[in-house]
Amino acid sequence: QGCRVIDAFLAFDPRGRLEPAVGRWLLALKQEQDSQKNLRLAWAPADFRQPFSPATAPVVGPGSPLRPAEWAEGPSLLQVGARWRLYWDAYTKGHYGAASSEDLMTWTDETAQLQLPAKARHGTVFRAPLPP
């Protein structure tokens, strides 16, 4: 509440269990305020019987400990093994960013290890199988 939001990305978090009812939905979103163009998270129960939680403190961008001098948008969030990976477009700096977390609260900047085409812009990151 109280903030404009764009560029939302929805991902399911099974929370390490096979039963869908144990899981939850994660929402990575961009807060679209004049000086707070950052990424935050919110979540809702798997059955959507409750609304999404209020957004967290900034994960990436202004007001966060991770790349606070970069505006961020276009998040993609996916789980690889036990780690969550958050990707975003640092559009005013002309590059993509990446961070990882095991608990969705403490994030490690992995932008320096990210390898994408030079002009990759605002898109969705997803897992795809390698061709045979």
Side-chain angles (χ1 to χ4, degrees), residues 10-54:
L10 193 61
F12 189 72
D13 176 10
R15 301 178 104 178
R17 305 283 294 280
L18 296 177
E19 305 90 36
V22 175
R24 62 185 174 175
W25 288 101
L26 300 172
L27 186 65
L29 55 97
K30 175 189 178 188
Q31 178 175 301
E32 182 62 15
Q33 303 292 99
D34 291 334
S35 63
Q36 295 293 313
K37 297 186 187 271
N38 53 42
L39 302 182
R40 298 167 182 247
L41 300 176
W43 47 86
D47 61 9
F48 285 113
R49 289 189 185 196
Q50 299 292 323
F52 277 92
S53 67

Side-chain angles (χ1 to χ4, degrees), residues 27-108:
L27 186 65
L29 55 97
K30 175 189 178 188
Q31 178 175 301
E32 182 62 15
Q33 303 292 99
D34 291 334
S35 63
Q36 295 293 313
K37 297 186 187 271
N38 53 42
L39 302 182
R40 298 167 182 247
L41 300 176
W43 47 86
D47 61 9
F48 285 113
R49 289 189 185 196
Q50 299 292 323
F52 277 92
S53 67
T56 63
V59 173
V60 172
S64 79
L66 199 62
R67 299 203 168 251
E70 294 181 2
W71 287 3
E73 69 179 14
S76 290
L77 182 66
L78 58 119
Q79 192 172 30
V80 179
R83 294 192 74 77
W84 283 94
R85 301 201 180 271
L86 177 64
Y87 300 90
W88 67 91
D89 186 353
Y91 62 102
T92 60
K93 302 293 184 180
H95 67 87
Y96 249 79
S100 68
S101 174
E102 288 188 6
D103 61 8
L104 298 166
M105 295 170 61
T106 305
W107 293 88
T108 301

